[in-house]
Amino acid sequence: MAQGSGVALRAAGDALMDAIDLALYDACHEEGCPICRLRLAGERRYLLRLLSEFVNDAFVRERYIASLGFCPQHARQLQALEQDRWGDGLGNAILCEDLLTRMLKALHQHRETWTHCSAPRGWRPRRSRIALPHALTPRSLCRVCELGETLVARNSERLVRAAAEAGELWEAYADSTGLCWDHLRQALEYVSSDNSLAAVRLLDQSINRLQALTAALDSYVESHDYHHQGEVLSAEVRASWLHAVAWLAGEEL
Ligand SMILES: [Zn+2]
Ligand SMILES: [Zn+2]
């Protein structure tokens, strides 16, 4: 991987590469799908800033309430981050206390509605048609997921342009682990019909990588046969099943 040239490019390159390019360039030198890496890093940064600065921010809080907290994955991540970083749960407690108080109030209201609801005699029992109150209905997506999707869109679009330009950013990508399946699919959606070369370059990179990966997987499976017992496996073969799962499911937290 051409990391040395990146230093020169950084030194000379503010005019050539902006912050998005540099982040993408750096992510290409890490293990795993660069678009996943940037999404995970951006989401983690958001959650850490939330805990250190924005727990009491009115706008952030309003958005948290509107989505009834975060999705299960990001709620768990927020909990783990605070536990790991501060060994405490004050930020989580403040956010949850506010949200749960509102939900509790709404549950009381909902209970009242049910208390005064009685079907006329002779009606067949049916499933509930009583809508949940406004305060118990999410009005927006998890903010962290939304941010992550914005980062994926922005970086995928940039990568497609890099594929067309075939400059230093593309060279770094071409030499990287490459995109996971979901992000390859999304990147191809950003290719316009007058830019087919970008699609061909993206596909060639993934095809080459998958050919190597399937060969390594084949060796890994074969190594479990008793004829191959005791054979020393290369690092690439040993990790092939993990890389295959990452290609299908994306990088993990
Ligand atoms: Zn990915
Ligand atoms: Zn989420």
Side-chain angles (χ1 to χ4, degrees), residues 88-146:
D88 186 56
L90 179 62
N92 275 269
I94 291 170
L95 290 169
C96 290
E97 196 262 340
D98 187 9
L99 177 59
L100 295 191
T101 303
R102 293 163 191 258
M103 291 179 80
L104 182 61
K105 191 174 160 198
L107 282 169
H108 275 299
Q109 282 170 6
H110 198 46
R111 182 187 178 280
E112 278 301 295
T113 312
W114 276 102
T115 307
H116 297 105
C117 160
S118 54
R121 274 173 184 273
W123 274 36
R124 277 174 55 204
R126 301 172 70 180
R127 295 188 67 170
S128 164
R129 290 284 168 91
I130 300 174
L132 284 168
H134 186 66
L136 292 174
T137 310
R139 284 167 281 127
S140 62
L141 282 175
C142 163
R143 174 70 187 113
V144 196
C145 282
E146 193 181 64

Side-chain angles (χ1 to χ4, degrees), residues 221-234:
V221 173
E222 256 184 21
S223 75
H224 288 68
D225 188 288
Y226 75 96
H227 288 113
H228 296 270
Q229 266 181 7
E231 277 183 13
V232 178
L233 303 180
S234 68

